[in-house]
Amino acid sequence: MVQRLGAWDGRRRAISLGIFSNAVGALAAAGAAIAAWLTTSSGADLTQWALILAGVGGVFVAKGTIILALAERRPTQSSHDDAAHQLNTLENRMTARHKALVDRVNQLEAELAQLRASA
């Protein structure tokens, strides 16, 4: 199955969700600050709303931060390709070294057989 990496692949979607969650949390925190300011500057008691908005803002910011941290840890397709390329390169180097080692052992065995025959 062909994977289409567009603007809404999994990692980008998670990053967008994390940024959106952080923005909602920041707006709720700003609302809490405004409610607290209105409580101190006017006679209205908006302390309860300030606390509610501060709690909601904290939850959204924490959730957005966790989502962004998980999205950053998720490997990309290019890192999979790089790892596959490195494994392929390592396999080729090991094959070449093995072939050189077998050739050298065969050469030493031939020289040993020649020395035994001449002795």
Side-chain angles (χ1 to χ4, degrees):
M1 182 173 163
V2 177
Q3 283 188 334
R4 186 180 59 157
L5 296 176
W8 290 104
D9 64 341
R11 183 179 179 164
R12 290 183 188 182
R13 187 178 317 163
I15 290 173
S16 298
L17 180 64
I19 291 171
F20 178 75
S21 180
N22 279 343
V24 169
L27 288 174
I34 291 170
W37 175 70
L38 288 175
T39 299
T40 58
S41 67
S42 69
D45 186 20
L46 300 174
T47 307
Q48 183 178 7
W49 285 105
L51 291 174
I52 290 171
L53 288 173
V56 169
V59 167
F60 272 90
V61 168
K63 181 181 77 163
T65 304
I66 291 170
I67 290 171
L68 287 173
L70 292 175
E72 289 297 320
R73 291 187 63 204
R74 185 176 180 188
T76 61
Q77 183 65 30
S78 63
S79 66
H80 287 297
D81 294 341
D82 290 344
H85 178 68
Q86 288 175 351
L87 284 174
N88 192 18
T89 302
L90 178 64
E91 184 181 3
N92 290 340
R93 284 179 32 210
M94 289 177 63
T95 301
R97 286 183 180 180
H98 177 72
K99 183 179 177 187
L101 180 65
V102 168
D103 290 343
R104 181 66 179 144
V105 168
N106 288 338
Q107 181 184 17
L108 289 173
E109 286 176 347
E111 288 178 12
L112 182 63
Q114 188 180 22
L115 286 174
R116 284 186 181 159
S118 67

